[in-house]
Amino acid sequence: SMIPFNHHHLYYFWIAAKEGNVTRAAKKLFLAQSTISSQIAQFEKALGKKLFERIGRNLQLTDDGRLVLSYAEQIFDAGRELLDALHDRPSQRTSRIQIGIVDQVSKQVARTLLRDVWRFAKEPHITIHEGVLDNLLVELRGHVLDLLVSDSDVPLGEPTDYIKVRAGELRVFFVGAPLVAKKVRKFPQDLAHVPVLLPTPASPVWRDVERYFNQKGIQPRIAAEVQDAELLRYMALDGAGIVPLDEATVADDVKTGWLVRLHRLPLPITKTIWLLAKKRHRQNLIAQHLLDSFRLRTSGHG
């Protein structure tokens, strides 16, 4: 026969491997445990390989099992994609996009990206999800999102194949409202005497700032850690403390004088903006356009 094995067996194996346990897999598939066990045994016999070590009720994948699982992921993924492609008729597919934006990404960067979408697509329909990287990656894997804009690279342990494009680097500056900035006469030493607001530790900027403080031997008073870059900006504008923000976020405020840069020379801290997509047979057209051509133009000068 053309098809080398029974796809039902592959499906049962896939669910069992993901659940890690026959009882849970049986519940999910509305089948008897004995049915699942015998189907998996038949599948192992057909392949001539042992796919699971059974440890009590729990199933642990063998090396062969892990290999089969990686193919099963791709096969069932392609199935989901097939339905997507059928339901997204070509007329719609050209102008619909779902974008995830990690909340540490500057709203100015998001704005530039959206301007690019409007230039490229005729009457686009854009859906935007914001949140933390982990949650948005789940949505990217599940085909909820076509594209993800992130300030961090994908964690190494991620199983899925991603397309990763570096859209640009933004320099980071310590800024503050004029009254707070006045208190920092000597930079960076005087940062020890003013409240400092940081992104949350999930942000690469947090790590770089910590490293910078350690190198300079400064122990600042961390007054807040905030997940959303725009809220950090508002807190800086309100004089709540000194904040490390990227050049895209602060450009307008520095021009108007609402925020003051505490140093002329760039710090050894930059923020990288990544575009992430899943490898697919057919990328969303707008997503493909952004992956190919969206790059941040940063002001190369001081």
Side-chain angles (χ1 to χ4, degrees):
S1 78
M2 280 301 294
I3 296 181
F5 52 77
N6 181 328
H7 272 243
H8 278 290
H9 289 168
L10 181 67
Y11 185 66
Y12 297 151
F13 158 79
W14 183 53
I15 297 294
K18 292 209 313 190
E19 295 297 326
N21 169 301
V22 177
T23 317
R24 283 199 301 271
K27 267 210 185 81
K28 196 157 194 176
L29 292 163
F30 301 106
L31 292 168
Q33 289 181 39
S34 56
T35 309
I36 303 265
S37 296
S38 73
Q39 299 276 331
I40 289 172
Q42 284 174 40
F43 187 44
E44 287 180 319
K45 197 175 161 197
L47 297 178
K49 298 282 180 192
K50 200 162 189 263
L51 303 179
F52 289 118
E53 299 292 344
R54 287 167 182 70
I55 297 161
R57 284 267 163 94
N58 290 329
L59 300 170
Q60 231 176 2
L61 287 166
T62 62
D63 285 347
D64 288 325
R66 268 196 290 279
L67 178 67
V68 174
L69 178 62
S70 70
Y71 278 98
E73 287 285 356
Q74 286 173 21
I75 289 167
F76 292 116
D77 222 35
R80 279 202 296 270
E81 228 180 278
L82 165 70
L83 292 176
D84 272 4
L86 287 174
H87 293 149
D88 262 357
R89 289 181 297 289
S91 60
Q92 287 179 346
R93 201 177 51 251
T94 51
S95 59
R96 269 182 186 275
I97 185 165
Q98 308 233 22
I99 302 174
I101 302 175
V102 173
D103 43 25
Q104 273 299 324
V105 170
S106 157
K107 296 290 179 273
Q108 295 305 322
V109 168
R111 193 175 166 189
T112 316
L113 181 107
L114 291 171
R115 281 182 190 147
D116 194 346
V117 173
W118 282 311
R119 272 198 303 272
F120 170 74
K122 245 173 78 175
E123 300 179 2
H125 180 113
I126 305 167
T127 308
I128 292 185
H129 301 227
E130 288 183 286
V132 287
L133 179 63
D134 290 349
N135 298 350
L136 293 173
L137 276 175
V138 171
E139 299 200 322
L140 187 63
R141 281 200 301 270
H143 295 274
V144 177
L145 298 176
D146 301 301
L147 187 76
L148 180 50
V149 186
S150 169
D151 66 330
S152 19
D153 201 348
V154 180
L156 283 173
E158 284 289 324
T160 313
D161 283 342
Y162 292 101
I163 299 164
K164 294 192 285 197
V165 170
R166 204 190 201 104
E169 301 258 329
L170 298 167
R171 293 168 309 165
V172 170
F173 291 91
F174 281 99
V175 296
L179 283 173
V180 187
K182 255 204 214 91
K183 296 178 184 161
V184 184
R185 292 213 171 78
K186 276 192 73 177
F187 180 87
Q189 295 80 343
D190 287 353
L191 288 181
H193 314 305
V194 289
V196 173
L197 318 179
L198 294 179
T200 50
S203 158
V205 169
W206 184 90
R207 291 194 294 276
D208 292 344
V209 169
E210 285 282 293
R211 195 177 302 128
Y212 178 74
F213 285 153
N214 288 336
Q215 280 165 1
K216 301 286 177 190
I218 299 166
Q219 285 192 308
R221 180 167 74 76
I222 308 297
E225 290 176 323
V226 182
Q227 194 172 296
D228 186 292
E230 195 61 8
L231 188 52
L232 264 177
R233 174 182 160 254
Y234 281 126
M235 291 168 84
L237 287 167
D238 287 341
I242 297 300
V243 189
L245 289 172
D246 66 72
E247 53 188 310
T249 300
V250 299
D252 291 344
D253 298 323
V254 169
K255 264 195 208 103
T256 55
W258 294 108
L259 288 177
V260 179
R261 278 190 196 173
L262 303 188
H263 48 98
R264 296 294 319 142
L265 292 175
L267 299 170
I269 302 174
T270 56
K271 195 165 186 173
T272 306
I273 301 298
W274 297 90
L275 300 185
L276 308 170
K278 265 192 70 172
K279 286 194 177 148
R280 292 175 157 213
H281 296 295
R282 293 204 308 208
Q283 273 306 334
N284 173 288
L285 289 178
I286 300 174
Q288 189 61 60
H289 162 73
L290 292 169
L291 289 165
D292 291 341
S293 69
F294 178 74
R295 300 296 177 269
L296 293 175
R297 327 251 173 285
T298 51
S299 57
H301 49 79

mmCIF file of all heavy atoms in Angstrom, residues 5 9-20 40 43-44 47-54 59-76 159:
data_model
loop_
_atom_site.group_PDB
_atom_site.id
_atom_site.type_symbol
_atom_site.label_atom_id
_atom_site.label_comp_id
_atom_site.label_asym_id
_atom_site.label_seq_id
_atom_site.Cartn_x
_atom_site.Cartn_y
_atom_site.Cartn_z
ATOM 1 N N PHE A 5 1.671 3.184 7.197
ATOM 2 C CA PHE A 5 1.102 2.747 8.483
ATOM 3 C C PHE A 5 -0.266 3.392 8.665
ATOM 4 O O PHE A 5 -0.671 4.263 7.912
ATOM 5 C CB PHE A 5 2.021 3.111 9.657
ATOM 6 C CG PHE A 5 2.417 4.556 9.649
ATOM 7 C CD1 PHE A 5 1.511 5.539 10.072
ATOM 8 C CD2 PHE A 5 3.672 4.949 9.223
ATOM 9 C CE1 PHE A 5 1.855 6.869 10.047
ATOM 10 C CE2 PHE A 5 4.018 6.294 9.197
ATOM 11 C CZ PHE A 5 3.111 7.249 9.604
ATOM 12 N N HIS A 9 -3.356 5.059 14.294
ATOM 13 C CA HIS A 9 -2.348 4.634 15.270
ATOM 14 C C HIS A 9 -1.401 5.782 15.585
ATOM 15 O O HIS A 9 -1.038 6.008 16.729
ATOM 16 C CB HIS A 9 -1.548 3.439 14.729
ATOM 17 C CG HIS A 9 -2.346 2.170 14.687
ATOM 18 N ND1 HIS A 9 -1.918 1.050 14.016
ATOM 19 C CD2 HIS A 9 -3.545 1.852 15.223
ATOM 20 C CE1 HIS A 9 -2.825 0.093 14.144
ATOM 21 N NE2 HIS A 9 -3.826 0.562 14.866
ATOM 22 N N LEU A 10 -0.996 6.492 14.525
ATOM 23 C CA LEU A 10 -0.085 7.626 14.718
ATOM 24 C C LEU A 10 -0.750 8.676 15.610
ATOM 25 O O LEU A 10 -0.122 9.250 16.497
ATOM 26 C CB LEU A 10 0.294 8.249 13.368
ATOM 27 C CG LEU A 10 1.271 9.430 13.442
ATOM 28 C CD1 LEU A 10 2.640 8.959 13.927
ATOM 29 C CD2 LEU A 10 1.423 10.120 12.088
ATOM 30 N N TYR A 11 -2.037 8.884 15.377
ATOM 31 C CA TYR A 11 -2.773 9.887 16.143
ATOM 32 C C TYR A 11 -2.873 9.474 17.612
ATOM 33 O O TYR A 11 -2.638 10.285 18.512
ATOM 34 C CB TYR A 11 -4.161 10.094 15.543
ATOM 35 C CG TYR A 11 -4.933 11.211 16.206
ATOM 36 C CD1 TYR A 11 -4.502 12.534 16.106
ATOM 37 C CD2 TYR A 11 -6.083 10.949 16.951
ATOM 38 C CE1 TYR A 11 -5.188 13.567 16.719
ATOM 39 C CE2 TYR A 11 -6.775 11.985 17.567
ATOM 40 C CZ TYR A 11 -6.333 13.285 17.445
ATOM 41 O OH TYR A 11 -7.008 14.308 18.051
ATOM 42 N N TYR A 12 -3.195 8.216 17.872
ATOM 43 C CA TYR A 12 -3.278 7.733 19.262
ATOM 44 C C TYR A 12 -1.924 7.856 19.938
ATOM 45 O O TYR A 12 -1.812 8.257 21.094
ATOM 46 C CB TYR A 12 -3.750 6.271 19.315
ATOM 47 C CG TYR A 12 -5.139 6.040 18.765
ATOM 48 C CD1 TYR A 12 -5.493 4.825 18.192
ATOM 49 C CD2 TYR A 12 -6.110 7.049 18.824
ATOM 50 C CE1 TYR A 12 -6.771 4.602 17.678
ATOM 51 C CE2 TYR A 12 -7.386 6.842 18.311
ATOM 52 C CZ TYR A 12 -7.706 5.624 17.734
ATOM 53 O OH TYR A 12 -8.966 5.421 17.233
ATOM 54 N N PHE A 13 -0.872 7.487 19.198
ATOM 55 C CA PHE A 13 0.478 7.606 19.746
ATOM 56 C C PHE A 13 0.774 9.064 20.114
ATOM 57 O O PHE A 13 1.307 9.368 21.180
ATOM 58 C CB PHE A 13 1.512 7.114 18.713
ATOM 59 C CG PHE A 13 2.895 7.656 18.954
ATOM 60 C CD1 PHE A 13 3.726 7.119 19.927
ATOM 61 C CD2 PHE A 13 3.366 8.751 18.223
ATOM 62 C CE1 PHE A 13 4.997 7.651 20.165
ATOM 63 C CE2 PHE A 13 4.627 9.278 18.454
ATOM 64 C CZ PHE A 13 5.442 8.728 19.429
ATOM 65 N N TRP A 14 0.402 9.974 19.197
ATOM 66 C CA TRP A 14 0.683 11.408 19.387
ATOM 67 C C TRP A 14 0.015 11.932 20.661
ATOM 68 O O TRP A 14 0.644 12.597 21.482
ATOM 69 C CB TRP A 14 0.171 12.169 18.158
ATOM 70 C CG TRP A 14 0.437 13.645 18.131
ATOM 71 C CD1 TRP A 14 1.634 14.270 18.295
ATOM 72 C CD2 TRP A 14 -0.525 14.698 17.906
ATOM 73 N NE1 TRP A 14 1.483 15.643 18.185
ATOM 74 C CE2 TRP A 14 0.168 15.931 17.944
ATOM 75 C CE3 TRP A 14 -1.892 14.708 17.661
ATOM 76 C CZ2 TRP A 14 -0.461 17.154 17.763
ATOM 77 C CZ3 TRP A 14 -2.525 15.930 17.462
ATOM 78 C CH2 TRP A 14 -1.821 17.135 17.516
ATOM 79 N N ILE A 15 -1.262 11.595 20.825
ATOM 80 C CA ILE A 15 -1.995 12.046 22.019
ATOM 81 C C ILE A 15 -1.389 11.419 23.275
ATOM 82 O O ILE A 15 -1.169 12.093 24.286
ATOM 83 C CB ILE A 15 -3.503 11.686 21.913
ATOM 84 C CG1 ILE A 15 -4.154 12.403 20.726
ATOM 85 C CG2 ILE A 15 -4.234 12.018 23.212
ATOM 86 C CD1 ILE A 15 -4.235 13.910 20.832
ATOM 87 N N ALA A 16 -1.082 10.129 23.203
ATOM 88 C CA ALA A 16 -0.511 9.452 24.374
ATOM 89 C C ALA A 16 0.835 10.071 24.753
ATOM 90 O O ALA A 16 1.127 10.281 25.934
ATOM 91 C CB ALA A 16 -0.353 7.961 24.093
ATOM 92 N N ALA A 17 1.637 10.378 23.730
ATOM 93 C CA ALA A 17 2.957 10.965 23.994
ATOM 94 C C ALA A 17 2.803 12.339 24.627
ATOM 95 O O ALA A 17 3.530 12.705 25.552
ATOM 96 C CB ALA A 17 3.751 11.068 22.694
ATOM 97 N N LYS A 18 1.800 13.109 24.144
ATOM 98 C CA LYS A 18 1.620 14.457 24.692
ATOM 99 C C LYS A 18 1.053 14.401 26.110
ATOM 100 O O LYS A 18 1.421 15.195 26.963
ATOM 101 C CB LYS A 18 0.705 15.286 23.785
ATOM 102 C CG LYS A 18 1.374 15.586 22.451
ATOM 103 C CD LYS A 18 0.940 16.877 21.800
ATOM 104 C CE LYS A 18 -0.547 17.088 21.768
ATOM 105 N NZ LYS A 18 -0.880 18.249 20.903
ATOM 106 N N GLU A 19 0.160 13.447 26.351
ATOM 107 C CA GLU A 19 -0.437 13.323 27.699
ATOM 108 C C GLU A 19 0.520 12.637 28.676
ATOM 109 O O GLU A 19 0.441 12.847 29.874
ATOM 110 C CB GLU A 19 -1.758 12.545 27.629
ATOM 111 C CG GLU A 19 -2.860 13.242 26.841
ATOM 112 C CD GLU A 19 -3.292 14.566 27.470
ATOM 113 O OE1 GLU A 19 -3.283 14.676 28.716
ATOM 114 O OE2 GLU A 19 -3.636 15.494 26.712
ATOM 115 N N GLY A 20 1.386 11.754 28.133
ATOM 116 C CA GLY A 20 2.376 11.075 28.971
ATOM 117 C C GLY A 20 1.795 9.987 29.843
ATOM 118 O O GLY A 20 2.434 9.517 30.779
ATOM 119 N N ILE A 40 -1.460 1.152 20.371
ATOM 120 C CA ILE A 40 -0.056 1.567 20.394
ATOM 121 C C ILE A 40 0.850 0.357 20.183
ATOM 122 O O ILE A 40 1.836 0.427 19.453
ATOM 123 C CB ILE A 40 0.279 2.309 21.712
ATOM 124 C CG1 ILE A 40 -0.399 3.690 21.704
ATOM 125 C CG2 ILE A 40 1.782 2.492 21.877
ATOM 126 C CD1 ILE A 40 -0.320 4.435 23.009
ATOM 127 N N PHE A 43 0.927 -0.400 16.615
ATOM 128 C CA PHE A 43 1.735 0.610 15.909
ATOM 129 C C PHE A 43 3.220 0.270 16.057
ATOM 130 O O PHE A 43 3.982 0.286 15.100
ATOM 131 C CB PHE A 43 1.411 1.991 16.479
ATOM 132 C CG PHE A 43 2.039 3.149 15.732
ATOM 133 C CD1 PHE A 43 2.040 3.191 14.350
ATOM 134 C CD2 PHE A 43 2.612 4.214 16.420
ATOM 135 C CE1 PHE A 43 2.605 4.264 13.653
ATOM 136 C CE2 PHE A 43 3.172 5.298 15.738
ATOM 137 C CZ PHE A 43 3.167 5.309 14.353
ATOM 138 N N GLU A 44 3.626 -0.081 17.305
ATOM 139 C CA GLU A 44 5.026 -0.438 17.561
ATOM 140 C C GLU A 44 5.417 -1.662 16.737
ATOM 141 O O GLU A 44 6.504 -1.730 16.172
ATOM 142 C CB GLU A 44 5.236 -0.724 19.060
ATOM 143 C CG GLU A 44 5.207 0.555 19.917
ATOM 144 C CD GLU A 44 5.426 0.281 21.405
ATOM 145 O OE1 GLU A 44 4.871 -0.724 21.918
ATOM 146 O OE2 GLU A 44 6.135 1.070 22.048
ATOM 147 N N LEU A 47 5.935 -0.734 13.088
ATOM 148 C CA LEU A 47 7.184 0.007 12.846
ATOM 149 C C LEU A 47 8.413 -0.825 13.202
ATOM 150 O O LEU A 47 9.533 -0.493 12.830
ATOM 151 C CB LEU A 47 7.201 1.296 13.675
ATOM 152 C CG LEU A 47 6.128 2.343 13.368
ATOM 153 C CD1 LEU A 47 6.271 3.527 14.314
ATOM 154 C CD2 LEU A 47 6.210 2.828 11.926
ATOM 155 N N GLY A 48 8.171 -1.898 13.985
ATOM 156 C CA GLY A 48 9.304 -2.710 14.437
ATOM 157 C C GLY A 48 10.184 -1.986 15.435
ATOM 158 O O GLY A 48 11.376 -2.272 15.559
ATOM 159 N N LYS A 49 9.608 -1.021 16.152
ATOM 160 C CA LYS A 49 10.392 -0.251 17.125
ATOM 161 C C LYS A 49 9.582 -0.080 18.406
ATOM 162 O O LYS A 49 8.359 0.024 18.363
ATOM 163 C CB LYS A 49 10.685 1.160 16.585
ATOM 164 C CG LYS A 49 11.516 1.199 15.326
ATOM 165 C CD LYS A 49 12.979 0.979 15.621
ATOM 166 C CE LYS A 49 13.786 1.031 14.319
ATOM 167 N NZ LYS A 49 15.152 0.535 14.536
ATOM 168 N N LYS A 50 10.305 0.023 19.512
ATOM 169 C CA LYS A 50 9.648 0.307 20.788
ATOM 170 C C LYS A 50 9.581 1.827 20.951
ATOM 171 O O LYS A 50 10.602 2.498 20.851
ATOM 172 C CB LYS A 50 10.474 -0.319 21.911
ATOM 173 C CG LYS A 50 9.726 -0.530 23.184
ATOM 174 C CD LYS A 50 10.459 -1.527 24.078
ATOM 175 C CE LYS A 50 9.613 -1.905 25.270
ATOM 176 N NZ LYS A 50 9.859 -1.223 26.489
ATOM 177 N N LEU A 51 8.385 2.372 21.153
ATOM 178 C CA LEU A 51 8.229 3.830 21.200
ATOM 179 C C LEU A 51 8.134 4.358 22.630
ATOM 180 O O LEU A 51 8.449 5.509 22.899
ATOM 181 C CB LEU A 51 6.980 4.248 20.420
ATOM 182 C CG LEU A 51 6.943 3.794 18.945
ATOM 183 C CD1 LEU A 51 5.652 4.233 18.289
ATOM 184 C CD2 LEU A 51 8.141 4.324 18.181
ATOM 185 N N PHE A 52 7.657 3.517 23.547
ATOM 186 C CA PHE A 52 7.488 3.947 24.941
ATOM 187 C C PHE A 52 8.152 2.970 25.887
ATOM 188 O O PHE A 52 8.152 1.765 25.658
ATOM 189 C CB PHE A 52 5.997 3.973 25.321
ATOM 190 C CG PHE A 52 5.205 5.073 24.685
ATOM 191 C CD1 PHE A 52 4.148 4.766 23.832
ATOM 192 C CD2 PHE A 52 5.481 6.406 24.943
ATOM 193 C CE1 PHE A 52 3.382 5.766 23.259
ATOM 194 C CE2 PHE A 52 4.729 7.422 24.370
ATOM 195 C CZ PHE A 52 3.681 7.099 23.523
ATOM 196 N N GLU A 53 8.708 3.482 26.981
ATOM 197 C CA GLU A 53 8.988 2.688 28.174
ATOM 198 C C GLU A 53 7.784 2.874 29.072
ATOM 199 O O GLU A 53 7.384 4.012 29.322
ATOM 200 C CB GLU A 53 10.241 3.206 28.906
ATOM 201 C CG GLU A 53 11.528 3.164 28.129
ATOM 202 C CD GLU A 53 12.001 1.749 27.858
ATOM 203 O OE1 GLU A 53 11.492 0.805 28.526
ATOM 204 O OE2 GLU A 53 12.849 1.584 26.969
ATOM 205 N N ARG A 54 7.201 1.807 29.561
ATOM 206 C CA ARG A 54 6.048 1.974 30.448
ATOM 207 C C ARG A 54 6.524 1.946 31.891
ATOM 208 O O ARG A 54 7.121 0.972 32.343
ATOM 209 C CB ARG A 54 5.018 0.868 30.183
ATOM 210 C CG ARG A 54 4.298 1.096 28.866
ATOM 211 C CD ARG A 54 3.509 -0.129 28.398
ATOM 212 N NE ARG A 54 2.875 0.116 27.097
ATOM 213 C CZ ARG A 54 3.530 0.225 25.952
ATOM 214 N NH1 ARG A 54 4.856 0.144 25.936
ATOM 215 N NH2 ARG A 54 2.889 0.434 24.809
ATOM 216 N N LEU A 59 3.963 6.858 30.590
ATOM 217 C CA LEU A 59 4.677 6.473 29.382
ATOM 218 C C LEU A 59 5.868 7.392 29.208
ATOM 219 O O LEU A 59 5.731 8.604 29.291
ATOM 220 C CB LEU A 59 3.755 6.640 28.167
ATOM 221 C CG LEU A 59 2.472 5.817 28.190
ATOM 222 C CD1 LEU A 59 1.558 6.260 27.054
ATOM 223 C CD2 LEU A 59 2.799 4.338 28.048
ATOM 224 N N GLN A 60 7.036 6.799 28.994
ATOM 225 C CA GLN A 60 8.198 7.633 28.693
ATOM 226 C C GLN A 60 8.696 7.281 27.304
ATOM 227 O O GLN A 60 8.845 6.111 26.967
ATOM 228 C CB GLN A 60 9.279 7.411 29.727
ATOM 229 C CG GLN A 60 9.761 8.728 30.276
ATOM 230 C CD GLN A 60 10.783 8.544 31.375
ATOM 231 O OE1 GLN A 60 11.155 7.428 31.708
ATOM 232 N NE2 GLN A 60 11.245 9.649 31.920
ATOM 233 N N LEU A 61 8.922 8.304 26.486
ATOM 234 C CA LEU A 61 9.333 8.065 25.103
ATOM 235 C C LEU A 61 10.741 7.485 25.043
ATOM 236 O O LEU A 61 11.633 7.926 25.772
ATOM 237 C CB LEU A 61 9.302 9.380 24.321
ATOM 238 C CG LEU A 61 7.924 9.925 23.965
ATOM 239 C CD1 LEU A 61 8.030 11.373 23.516
ATOM 240 C CD2 LEU A 61 7.264 9.085 22.875
ATOM 241 N N THR A 62 10.933 6.507 24.164
ATOM 242 C CA THR A 62 12.285 6.043 23.840
ATOM 243 C C THR A 62 12.870 7.027 22.824
ATOM 244 O O THR A 62 12.179 7.946 22.377
ATOM 245 C CB THR A 62 12.222 4.645 23.190
ATOM 246 O OG1 THR A 62 11.477 4.764 21.974
ATOM 247 C CG2 THR A 62 11.544 3.634 24.094
ATOM 248 N N ASP A 63 14.112 6.824 22.435
ATOM 249 C CA ASP A 63 14.712 7.684 21.401
ATOM 250 C C ASP A 63 13.924 7.583 20.102
ATOM 251 O O ASP A 63 13.662 8.589 19.444
ATOM 252 C CB ASP A 63 16.179 7.313 21.166
ATOM 253 C CG ASP A 63 17.066 7.826 22.304
ATOM 254 O OD1 ASP A 63 16.563 8.649 23.104
ATOM 255 O OD2 ASP A 63 18.234 7.414 22.401
ATOM 256 N N ASP A 64 13.547 6.341 19.733
ATOM 257 C CA ASP A 64 12.727 6.172 18.527
ATOM 258 C C ASP A 64 11.387 6.885 18.688
ATOM 259 O O ASP A 64 10.882 7.502 17.757
ATOM 260 C CB ASP A 64 12.484 4.677 18.243
ATOM 261 C CG ASP A 64 13.744 3.980 17.738
ATOM 262 O OD1 ASP A 64 14.517 4.643 17.005
ATOM 263 O OD2 ASP A 64 13.951 2.798 18.074
ATOM 264 N N GLY A 65 10.832 6.791 19.886
ATOM 265 C CA GLY A 65 9.554 7.453 20.167
ATOM 266 C C GLY A 65 9.643 8.953 19.963
ATOM 267 O O GLY A 65 8.750 9.583 19.390
ATOM 268 N N ARG A 66 10.773 9.526 20.420
ATOM 269 C CA ARG A 66 10.951 10.976 20.263
ATOM 270 C C ARG A 66 11.033 11.362 18.789
ATOM 271 O O ARG A 66 10.499 12.377 18.369
ATOM 272 C CB ARG A 66 12.200 11.452 21.001
ATOM 273 C CG ARG A 66 11.879 11.882 22.424
ATOM 274 C CD ARG A 66 12.997 12.700 23.034
ATOM 275 N NE ARG A 66 14.163 11.871 23.305
ATOM 276 C CZ ARG A 66 14.280 11.099 24.384
ATOM 277 N NH1 ARG A 66 13.308 11.055 25.282
ATOM 278 N NH2 ARG A 66 15.353 10.354 24.566
ATOM 279 N N LEU A 67 11.702 10.506 18.005
ATOM 280 C CA LEU A 67 11.810 10.766 16.569
ATOM 281 C C LEU A 67 10.423 10.713 15.917
ATOM 282 O O LEU A 67 10.044 11.611 15.166
ATOM 283 C CB LEU A 67 12.736 9.734 15.918
ATOM 284 C CG LEU A 67 12.905 9.869 14.400
ATOM 285 C CD1 LEU A 67 13.635 11.165 14.059
ATOM 286 C CD2 LEU A 67 13.668 8.675 13.830
ATOM 287 N N VAL A 68 9.652 9.658 16.246
ATOM 288 C CA VAL A 68 8.304 9.525 15.675
ATOM 289 C C VAL A 68 7.439 10.716 16.092
ATOM 290 O O VAL A 68 6.687 11.260 15.290
ATOM 291 C CB VAL A 68 7.649 8.187 16.108
ATOM 292 C CG1 VAL A 68 6.196 8.112 15.646
ATOM 293 C CG2 VAL A 68 8.440 7.006 15.543
ATOM 294 N N LEU A 69 7.605 11.155 17.363
ATOM 295 C CA LEU A 69 6.806 12.292 17.846
ATOM 296 C C LEU A 69 7.095 13.549 17.033
ATOM 297 O O LEU A 69 6.184 14.298 16.678
ATOM 298 C CB LEU A 69 7.086 12.555 19.327
ATOM 299 C CG LEU A 69 6.344 13.752 19.934
ATOM 300 C CD1 LEU A 69 4.825 13.555 19.865
ATOM 301 C CD2 LEU A 69 6.759 14.003 21.369
ATOM 302 N N SER A 70 8.377 13.782 16.702
ATOM 303 C CA SER A 70 8.701 15.023 15.975
ATOM 304 C C SER A 70 8.043 15.010 14.592
ATOM 305 O O SER A 70 7.580 16.042 14.104
ATOM 306 C CB SER A 70 10.211 15.230 15.880
ATOM 307 O OG SER A 70 10.771 14.281 14.996
ATOM 308 N N TYR A 71 7.953 13.805 13.973
ATOM 309 C CA TYR A 71 7.247 13.718 12.684
ATOM 310 C C TYR A 71 5.740 13.854 12.873
ATOM 311 O O TYR A 71 5.063 14.505 12.079
ATOM 312 C CB TYR A 71 7.569 12.389 11.982
ATOM 313 C CG TYR A 71 8.878 12.445 11.240
ATOM 314 C CD1 TYR A 71 10.035 11.942 11.800
ATOM 315 C CD2 TYR A 71 8.950 13.037 9.980
ATOM 316 C CE1 TYR A 71 11.251 12.015 11.126
ATOM 317 C CE2 TYR A 71 10.147 13.109 9.295
ATOM 318 C CZ TYR A 71 11.304 12.596 9.877
ATOM 319 O OH TYR A 71 12.486 12.682 9.206
ATOM 320 N N ALA A 72 5.214 13.231 13.928
ATOM 321 C CA ALA A 72 3.768 13.323 14.192
ATOM 322 C C ALA A 72 3.360 14.787 14.351
ATOM 323 O O ALA A 72 2.356 15.229 13.791
ATOM 324 C CB ALA A 72 3.410 12.521 15.444
ATOM 325 N N GLU A 73 4.189 15.559 15.094
ATOM 326 C CA GLU A 73 3.919 16.990 15.280
ATOM 327 C C GLU A 73 3.775 17.665 13.926
ATOM 328 O O GLU A 73 2.849 18.419 13.672
ATOM 329 C CB GLU A 73 5.068 17.679 16.036
ATOM 330 C CG GLU A 73 5.165 17.366 17.512
ATOM 331 C CD GLU A 73 4.096 18.064 18.359
ATOM 332 O OE1 GLU A 73 3.318 18.864 17.822
ATOM 333 O OE2 GLU A 73 4.055 17.772 19.573
ATOM 334 N N GLN A 74 4.734 17.382 13.013
ATOM 335 C CA GLN A 74 4.721 18.034 11.709
ATOM 336 C C GLN A 74 3.527 17.598 10.876
ATOM 337 O O GLN A 74 2.909 18.398 10.180
ATOM 338 C CB GLN A 74 6.015 17.734 10.952
ATOM 339 C CG GLN A 74 7.205 18.500 11.495
ATOM 340 C CD GLN A 74 8.506 18.065 10.844
ATOM 341 O OE1 GLN A 74 8.502 17.501 9.759
ATOM 342 N NE2 GLN A 74 9.616 18.317 11.515
ATOM 343 N N ILE A 75 3.188 16.308 10.964
ATOM 344 C CA ILE A 75 2.079 15.775 10.158
ATOM 345 C C ILE A 75 0.756 16.396 10.601
ATOM 346 O O ILE A 75 -0.029 16.879 9.784
ATOM 347 C CB ILE A 75 2.040 14.233 10.245
ATOM 348 C CG1 ILE A 75 3.241 13.651 9.477
ATOM 349 C CG2 ILE A 75 0.729 13.676 9.700
ATOM 350 C CD1 ILE A 75 3.511 12.178 9.734
ATOM 351 N N PHE A 76 0.511 16.421 11.921
ATOM 352 C CA PHE A 76 -0.781 16.946 12.391
ATOM 353 C C PHE A 76 -0.826 18.474 12.301
ATOM 354 O O PHE A 76 -1.873 19.073 12.139
ATOM 355 C CB PHE A 76 -1.084 16.427 13.802
ATOM 356 C CG PHE A 76 -1.337 14.945 13.788
ATOM 357 C CD1 PHE A 76 -0.507 14.068 14.457
ATOM 358 C CD2 PHE A 76 -2.384 14.425 13.041
ATOM 359 C CE1 PHE A 76 -0.722 12.695 14.402
ATOM 360 C CE2 PHE A 76 -2.616 13.044 12.987
ATOM 361 C CZ PHE A 76 -1.776 12.184 13.668
ATOM 362 N N PRO A 159 10.629 23.247 20.482
ATOM 363 C CA PRO A 159 10.707 22.185 19.478
ATOM 364 C C PRO A 159 10.405 22.627 18.047
ATOM 365 O O PRO A 159 10.966 22.100 17.106
ATOM 366 C CB PRO A 159 9.628 21.200 19.941
ATOM 367 C CG PRO A 159 8.655 22.025 20.712
ATOM 368 C CD PRO A 159 9.457 23.116 21.343
#
